[in-house]
Amino acid sequence: MDGLQKKAVQQTFTFLVNYVDPLHIIAQLYEQEAVTQEVMKQILHDNVRHKRAMIFFVEIVNTCPFDVLIDCMKKTQHGFVAEKLLEQYHQLVTKQNAFVQPGILHMVDIPHGRYIGEELALFLENGEIDKFEWNVFSIVSKWDVEYKSMTPSIEKSRVARVVMDAKIAWIKFLVEAGQKCDILAEIDDGKNMTVQTDNPVTSLCKVLAYQAQMMMIQKKGDIDGTLHEYERIKAKAESERLDAFEATRFYITDFLIDYRSYERTGKREIKDRIKTSLDKMTDLADSLADRNEAVKEHLSVYVRRCQLVKLLLYLGMTHKGKLLPGPVSEEDLKSAKSDLEQTCRDGEFENLKKGWKMMVHVAQARLRQLEGNYEGAFQQAKFAKDLSNQLEHRFEERQNITELLENIHSTRTNP
């Protein structure tokens, strides 16, 4: 397929996956040498239709001529799907937008691979679920087809880390979107990848941190047991010599766990630990910023997220916008106001992704509420609510914003 044809498949990926069963067309495609033996075997042996379709459409763009795919679908019950795909392609031709395969698919392009989580998160921050799914399954499929059976090497271990991070991002997406997800069953797949990465102990530590965090979200499972295992592996990892990037990972894992603990308990000492972790993460990110421009961009995204999380923390909220009990000190209120002004300065706000804009509106609403400006607070919370409706996967934030609106309405009528 040419660039525009690949882009048409990418932009209709969710629709294609929802309505096509590759089993009905793969034999005909194989006869025309439009699909590889490896993909043929995967499709025939996978019992889950949705997964079959994802693998199929990720791989087919590299092996199958576009007109052959359209013709095969039209000859089966997938004619309406072929028309949808053709319509999308014709729109792209009209606009003459050239397709460039996302850089994160160049999985051995280090240091890009080290920031795979940030790259995938950017799609979700802007509500681009199709692109997120496409890239996750492209990465996993590339591993299954090209790397899984490869002899151990430095390249393979680096790619394994990228795949592990992609799998974790997928599980995190499912949980945070409120979809049904068996954490232990899903996370085991990520754990199995850790032994093949270039730093298995540190990788396992990261997986356990996400496991604990997601168990806290779902409020089920042996959270204490997972936290104990995390601390044991962390102690082992800290005895090894770590570079600045790996050290940053530890601050991230501590942050993830502490924030959920703070949400459950509201303890001041945990809040102080989180602030310290955020400061250390920002400082270490700055120490890595003397790399190339692509790395600097990833780090700037990372630092911006840390700043926003700290801003919400000052306002007595979690990084998901949940109101926590207890007063907000004058000192914290002053810090929040200063940080918020910096976030919105010089038109920077307009360049933010939808997810960050939503949470900045949440912060503005909370600040105005604490200052007694209830009308302004209600208006900012409504802006956040409108953006949350465009980000359907942000289940927890939507719920928290609704509660914030109710809280502001209550204080507005009964100050």
Side-chain angles (χ1 to χ4, degrees):
M1 295 186 190
D2 65 26
L4 290 181
Q5 291 163 349
K6 287 181 178 180
K7 190 166 187 176
V9 173
Q10 180 185 9
Q11 292 187 348
T12 56
F13 187 67
T14 299
F15 179 83
L16 295 171
V17 167
N18 285 340
Y19 289 101
V20 174
D21 188 342
L23 288 177
H24 296 144
I25 58 177
I26 197 166
Q28 186 177 354
L29 290 175
Y30 186 69
E31 288 174 359
Q32 299 185 55
E33 300 182 350
V35 64
T36 65
Q37 288 186 1
E38 290 78 8
V39 174
M40 182 81 167
K41 289 176 182 177
Q42 281 185 276
I43 299 301
L44 293 176
H45 290 110
D46 202 312
N47 294 323
V48 181
R49 190 209 63 79
H50 191 259
K51 186 177 178 182
R52 281 199 303 267
M54 283 187 163
I55 293 171
F56 176 77
F57 283 109
V58 165
E59 292 297 329
I60 204 71
V61 295
N62 297 315
T63 60
C64 181
F66 190 71
D67 58 340
V68 172
L69 175 63
I70 294 295
D71 184 58
C72 285
M73 287 197 295
K74 283 185 173 181
K75 290 179 178 177
T76 64
Q77 68 267 41
H78 300 104
F80 71 101
V81 180
E83 292 301 326
K84 173 79 172 180
L85 184 55
L86 274 173
E87 180 184 354
Q88 186 66 30
Y89 173 61
H90 290 149
Q91 289 178 5
L92 290 171
V93 170
T94 301
K95 294 178 181 179
Q96 286 297 299
N97 289 330
F99 175 81
V100 179
Q101 194 175 31
I104 59 174
L105 297 187
H106 301 287
M107 300 196 323
V108 294
D109 181 14
I110 306 301
H112 273 76
R114 305 191 92 176
Y115 300 96
I116 187 67
E118 295 301 322
E119 296 207 31
L120 291 172
L122 286 175
F123 293 127
L124 296 180
E125 289 291 350
N126 220 31
E128 298 171 310
I129 307 301
D130 283 4
K131 290 183 180 179
F132 173 78
E133 289 186 345
W134 169 273
N135 282 289
V136 168
F137 282 91
S138 293
I139 291 168
V140 174
S141 179
K142 191 175 182 72
W143 167 265
D144 289 338
V145 173
E146 297 183 26
Y147 287 92
K148 193 172 184 178
S149 59
M150 181 186 290
T151 302
S153 65
I154 293 176
E155 177 185 327
K156 182 178 180 179
S157 65
R158 288 176 174 175
V159 172
R161 183 183 60 218
V162 172
V163 177
M164 182 199 77
D165 286 345
K167 288 188 175 186
I168 290 176
W170 176 252
I171 301 167
K172 187 170 180 283
F173 162 70
L174 291 178
V175 173
E176 293 187 344
Q179 298 186 28
K180 290 184 178 180
C181 177
D182 185 337
I183 291 298
L184 293 180
E186 295 282 353
I187 209 75
D188 278 346
D189 198 24
K191 284 181 181 176
N192 292 336
M193 293 295 304
T194 63
V195 297
Q196 302 190 64
T197 66
D198 49 355
N199 196 327
V201 178
T202 304
S203 295
L204 179 57
C205 198
K206 180 177 181 179
V207 173
L208 287 169
Y210 274 102
Q211 178 179 327
Q213 182 201 18
M214 290 182 282
M215 284 173 134
M216 289 175 185
I217 294 174
Q218 289 193 335
K219 296 181 175 63
K220 61 183 180 182
D222 184 9
I223 298 173
D224 290 337
T226 300
L227 289 174
H228 177 76
E229 181 67 6
Y230 164 72
E231 292 295 340
R232 186 182 71 81
I233 298 299
K234 179 186 170 187
K236 182 178 179 181
E238 287 177 330
S239 66
E240 302 179 358
R241 186 173 181 177
L242 303 173
D243 63 15
F245 177 81
E246 297 297 348
T248 304
R249 278 192 166 195
F250 277 112
Y251 292 126
I252 294 172
T253 55
D254 282 342
F255 160 76
L256 292 173
I257 291 174
D258 280 342
Y259 223 123
R260 289 297 171 179
S261 297
Y262 175 55
E263 181 180 336
R264 289 193 298 170
T265 65
K267 291 182 178 180
R268 179 76 195 196
E269 59 267 28
I270 300 179
K271 180 179 180 179
D272 291 338
R273 275 208 311 269
I274 295 171
K275 286 182 182 178
T276 300
S277 292
L278 288 168
D279 287 338
K280 288 180 177 178
M281 283 190 278
T282 301
D283 290 343
L284 279 170
D286 287 339
S287 75
L288 295 169
D290 58 346
R291 313 270 179 114
N292 61 43
E293 289 302 317
V295 174
K296 286 181 181 179
E297 176 61 26
H298 294 309
L299 290 172
S300 68
V301 168
Y302 177 75
V303 170
R304 188 181 296 129
R305 184 177 294 136
C306 289
Q307 291 171 338
L308 180 54
V309 169
K310 185 188 283 188
L311 170 59
L312 293 166
L313 189 66
Y314 283 134
L315 294 169
M317 309 181 88
T318 71
H319 63 305
K320 298 291 186 179
K322 180 177 180 179
L323 284 168
L324 297 172
V328 175
S329 69
E330 287 296 325
E331 182 182 354
D332 280 354
L333 196 61
K334 183 178 179 180
S335 296
K337 191 170 183 178
S338 174
D339 287 354
L340 192 54
E341 288 174 355
Q342 186 176 358
T343 300
C344 298
R345 76 184 190 283
D346 300 329
E348 185 175 328
F349 176 76
E350 293 306 318
N351 296 323
L352 296 177
K353 299 293 186 181
K354 290 180 182 179
W356 287 329
K357 281 185 178 180
M358 175 179 70
M359 297 313 295
V360 170
H361 281 307
V362 167
Q364 288 176 322
R366 179 60 172 158
L367 179 61
R368 284 161 175 71
Q369 181 188 28
L370 292 170
E371 292 177 331
N373 180 1
Y374 303 117
E375 292 300 326
F378 196 75
Q379 187 63 48
Q380 289 294 327
K382 285 179 66 178
F383 288 150
K385 181 68 174 177
D386 290 342
L387 280 170
S388 76
N389 291 333
Q390 299 175 39
L391 302 168
E392 295 183 1
H393 62 289
R394 303 290 284 268
F395 176 82
E396 189 174 357
E397 286 94 328
R398 288 207 316 276
Q399 191 174 47
N400 291 335
I401 290 169
T402 298
E403 291 176 3
L404 177 62
L405 274 164
E406 293 172 353
N407 186 276
I408 292 171
H409 178 72
S410 175
T411 54
R412 183 173 62 169
T413 53
N414 301 292

